[in-house]
Amino acid sequence: MRHLVAAFLVVAAVFAAACGSGEPGPTVDPGGGTPSPSSNSLSGTVELGELDGTIIPAGARLPDGAVVVVTLADVSRTDVASEPITRQTVPTTAIPFDYELTWSGNLVAGRTYAVSARIEDADDNLLYINDTAFDITPGQTTQDFWVIAVS
């Protein structure tokens, strides 16, 4: 039942995002404004933000054509769908999976950001998804997290 609820919430979020909120886009400060006090880069480059980590559980084999979709989103507002800041879609055949996201601008202090992942087969059927929020703070450069099988 929990998997069904999680899948329903994902579908609802995608539908809401497609409809649009009429609000401004994601809150990434391209310069000026109120950027986070710490660096927004793993490699020391200040013009791009970077986040990396590993998606687990280890040892899971995936069918040919499977893709991992990792998204960093502004989840500050609870009354509308989250606003994606960056997304990485990569073919893969196994978990764990290492990811790296980059984006331009700074994450704004005081906002709430989260990283999420979904793994789909070649026919876009959902195989794995994270069911826990993994919050990202401005200046954070690494976040490992797990996904669960959707049955």
Side-chain angles (χ1 to χ4, degrees):
M1 180 68 172
R2 186 173 93 182
H3 299 296
L4 181 60
V5 170
F8 174 77
L9 291 175
V10 168
V11 170
V14 169
F15 180 78
C19 292
S21 66
E23 295 296 319
T27 54
V28 176
D29 183 8
T34 312
S36 67
S38 58
S39 170
N40 67 334
S41 171
L42 176 63
S43 65
T45 330
V46 256
E47 50 286 332
L48 293 177
E50 293 186 14
L51 179 71
D52 67 16
T54 302
I55 299 168
I56 50 181
R61 294 287 309 150
L62 301 172
D64 289 338
V67 294
V68 176
V69 181
V70 182
T71 304
L72 175 66
D74 180 345
V75 295
S76 299
R77 297 193 52 203
T78 58
D79 58 338
V80 296
S82 62
E83 292 284 343
I85 293 168
T86 187
R87 178 174 288 134
Q88 177 189 40
T89 302
V90 179
T92 190
T93 57
I95 311 173
F97 176 82
D98 293 330
Y99 71 92
E100 182 175 327
L101 299 174
T102 58
W103 63 94
S104 58
N106 296 316
L107 300 183
V108 178
R111 303 293 297 193
T112 304
Y113 302 93
V115 65
S116 63
R118 57 186 296 120
I119 301 173
E120 301 169 347
D121 66 15
D123 296 322
D124 297 327
N125 296 311
L126 184 62
L127 302 174
Y128 290 85
I129 193 165
N130 62 294
D131 67 342
T132 302
F134 294 94
D135 291 343
I136 302 300
T137 57
Q140 183 176 345
T141 58
T142 301
Q143 178 65 59
D144 294 343
F145 61 98
W146 62 88
V147 292
I148 61 168
V150 175
S151 51

